[in-house]
Amino acid sequence: MLEEVEGWLRTRSWSVTDRPLHRILAAKRASGSSVSVVLPALNEEETVGEIVAVIRHDLMRQAPLVDEIVVVDSGSTDRTSEVAAAAGARVVHRDDVLPRIPAVPGKGEVLWRSLLATEGDIVCFVDADLREFSSDFVTGIVGPLLTDPDVDLVKAMYDRPLGGAAGQGGRVTELMARPLLNMHWPQLAGFVQPLGGEYAARRSLLEQLPFPVGYGVELGMLVDALHLVGLDALAQVDVGVRRHRHQDGQALGRMAAAIYRTAQLRLARGHLIRPALTQFERGEEGFEPRTYPVDTEERPPMIEIAEYAARKVA
């Protein structure tokens, strides 16, 4: 491992216990910063309500750390919006944010639009499918941004069990993202969960980043942030264990292809590889091919969007 990364692991990798809540709250008061929590959601009625309720109870009622919780619904067909609202979140529908630009499917699209739907100086993203959720996920990744002005982006790190096996989750991370980062962006090799959906960043950084609209958003954000602010402005915090639903192998294959495409665009900024993935499913006449596009559209930095710039001026 690079000597620079070894040093980064010593100085920019922490535990949630390193910053007690009272210290984080004092730093928030001193800085005058506001904190927004964003949950991108698509058919998450089983889990979104508990996550919102825990954050509201622990970090709004008992301790004034979070200023707003926004659930951005990207077209759910279940009761995600109703459950989230009943738990106390402000629910925003993806298509209602920046309606002059037609929305496309994808997690990155939702995260990008959330910048226009929130006000916080610090924006904290939390996936809406987490089970046994703890507010440590929020305090862990927001804490360094409030206590250390040199830190701009913080990723959560955690164990990811798969079934009854410890550490076997995160298959796309181990098979695709980690090899890519180690080979092409070795400065980022120290991130334990580079694709994890729980991270927080300063708005001043997020608004300058392009957002891949799909599964490549987390890898793209790490690479672009490295180039923009440097490794020492990035950090990670151990928050324990992350439990969530797991996707099947073919869905993971499509995710991996989209992540590879995101990396390839950053390596070459060109179309050097066929942006499609063919998989096989057994049908009545044997194995049948199914081809999926994996080219990844990217949204420009939000600071370039007229409506966002006008809001900042106002």
Side-chain angles (χ1 to χ4, degrees), residues 12 120 238 240 294 300:
R12 286 290 186 259
D238 187 348
V294 297

Side-chain angles (χ1 to χ4, degrees), residues 69 85 219 265 275 314:
I69 306 174
L219 182 136
L265 288 172

Side-chain angles (χ1 to χ4, degrees), residues 175-194:
L175 296 174
M176 177 59 70
R178 200 175 308 285
L180 280 173
L181 293 175
N182 274 264
M183 288 186 288
H184 298 296
W185 296 281
Q187 286 179 294
L188 298 175
F191 277 94
V192 175
Q193 297 292 351

Side-chain angles (χ1 to χ4, degrees), residues 164-177:
Q168 294 303 305
R171 290 162 287 173
V172 175
T173 292
E174 300 303 331
L175 296 174
M176 177 59 70

Side-chain angles (χ1 to χ4, degrees), residues 152-219:
D152 287 327
L153 184 149
V154 183
K155 296 279 292 190
M157 56 177 165
Y158 32 66
D159 296 315
R160 295 185 67 178
L162 178 63
Q168 294 303 305
R171 290 162 287 173
V172 175
T173 292
E174 300 303 331
L175 296 174
M176 177 59 70
R178 200 175 308 285
L180 280 173
L181 293 175
N182 274 264
M183 288 186 288
H184 298 296
W185 296 281
Q187 286 179 294
L188 298 175
F191 277 94
V192 175
Q193 297 292 351
L195 300 185
E198 290 69 48
Y199 48 98
R202 301 189 191 280
R203 178 177 294 272
S204 57
L205 170 62
L206 293 172
E207 66 188 15
Q208 298 182 69
L209 299 177
F211 275 62
V213 300
Y215 288 126
V217 63
E218 275 84 21
L219 182 136

Side-chain angles (χ1 to χ4, degrees), residues 60 110 129 137 157 208 216 220 225 295 302:
M60 296 182 83
V110 174
D129 66 342
F137 275 77
M157 56 177 165
Q208 298 182 69
D295 210 1
M302 184 57 79

Side-chain angles (χ1 to χ4, degrees), residues 74-297:
S74 59
S76 297
T77 56
D78 65 1
R79 298 181 62 252
T80 291
S81 291
E82 292 88 340
V83 170
R90 176 162 62 89
V91 177
V92 177
H93 294 276
R94 178 198 61 195
D95 296 353
D96 295 335
V97 181
L98 203 60
R100 73 172 176 86
I101 299 179
V104 297
K107 179 183 179 182
E109 177 83 353
V110 174
L111 300 185
W112 181 71
R113 289 174 187 263
S114 77
L115 296 182
L116 197 54
T118 54
E119 300 287 344
D121 303 304
I122 292 171
V123 183
C124 173
F125 298 117
V126 176
D127 281 352
D129 66 342
L130 302 189
R131 302 181 184 278
E132 301 176 34
F133 178 77
S134 166
S135 58
D136 284 351
F137 275 77
V138 175
T139 56
I141 56 180
V142 168
L145 295 165
L146 291 169
T147 60
D148 191 333
D150 295 327
V151 173
D152 287 327
L153 184 149
V154 183
K155 296 279 292 190
M157 56 177 165
Y158 32 66
D159 296 315
R160 295 185 67 178
L162 178 63
Q168 294 303 305
R171 290 162 287 173
V172 175
T173 292
E174 300 303 331
L175 296 174
M176 177 59 70
R178 200 175 308 285
L180 280 173
L181 293 175
N182 274 264
M183 288 186 288
H184 298 296
W185 296 281
Q187 286 179 294
L188 298 175
F191 277 94
V192 175
Q193 297 292 351
L195 300 185
E198 290 69 48
Y199 48 98
R202 301 189 191 280
R203 178 177 294 272
S204 57
L205 170 62
L206 293 172
E207 66 188 15
Q208 298 182 69
L209 299 177
F211 275 62
V213 300
Y215 288 126
V217 63
E218 275 84 21
L219 182 136
M221 189 177 295
L222 264 187
V223 170
D224 294 338
L226 174 68
H227 290 162
L228 191 62
V229 297
L231 180 61
D232 198 50
L234 312 180
Q236 61 184 351
V237 173
D238 187 348
V239 296
V241 180
R242 183 186 198 266
R243 293 182 172 86
H244 65 111
R245 74 167 188 271
H246 295 278
Q247 301 193 58
D248 64 37
Q250 290 208 333
L252 294 179
R254 296 190 291 275
M255 184 185 300
I259 289 165
Y260 179 75
R261 178 60 172 165
T262 298
Q264 188 263 333
L265 288 172
R266 276 153 180 76
L267 287 167
R269 295 294 175 184
H271 297 266
L272 305 181
I273 297 175
R274 169 181 174 254
L277 175 72
T278 298
Q279 297 176 319
F280 294 87
E281 297 177 7
R282 184 181 289 280
E284 295 181 358
E285 299 181 2
F287 284 103
E288 300 174 355
R290 301 283 189 274
T291 298
Y292 301 89
V294 297
D295 210 1
T296 176
E297 183 177 351

